[in-house]
Amino acid sequence: FAGLGFRRGVELARKAASLVPAGMRMSTWALRWILDHPEVAVVIPGATKAEQVLWNVQASGTPPLQRVQHERIKRFYEEEVMAYIRGPY
């Protein structure tokens, strides 16, 4: 979460992990969320290991998140994250 202090970012990342469906990696889930937005033309994820590249590629083959999942993510952001972001939003 850009704009947050380290401790708060770790705390919120742990809470966000509870939204990830069972059996899915958080990184794959996050990339799938990004890909679900038609405004996004390309995603450039990072990787330091070959297996991470494979996990990143899996995101494009994963079915889009369900509407209810998108709603939970939005609610999480609005209720848990937004108040801590510095700057205009």
Side-chain angles (χ1 to χ4, degrees):
F1 300 107
L4 294 176
F6 179 76
R7 288 184 185 165
R8 178 75 63 198
V10 170
E11 173 191 335
L12 291 171
R14 286 185 178 138
K15 287 183 177 182
S18 70
L19 300 173
V20 179
M24 183 179 261
R25 293 186 165 282
M26 188 165 186
S27 59
T28 303
W29 175 76
L31 290 172
R32 180 69 259 171
W33 177 82
I34 295 167
L35 290 168
D36 285 352
H37 291 81
E39 304 86 0
V40 175
V42 67
V43 178
I44 306 173
T48 57
K49 299 175 185 174
E51 64 185 351
Q52 291 171 330
V53 174
L54 296 175
W55 298 335
N56 291 344
V57 170
Q58 286 176 353
S60 64
T62 301
L65 300 181
Q66 297 174 359
R67 184 177 56 90
V68 68
Q69 292 171 306
H70 278 281
E71 290 169 358
R72 285 183 189 140
I73 295 166
K74 182 179 179 187
R75 190 170 40 253
F76 171 75
Y77 178 79
E78 291 173 348
E79 295 175 3
E80 301 283 341
V81 180
M82 192 165 61
Y84 297 105
I85 300 297
R86 293 184 287 254
Y89 46 85

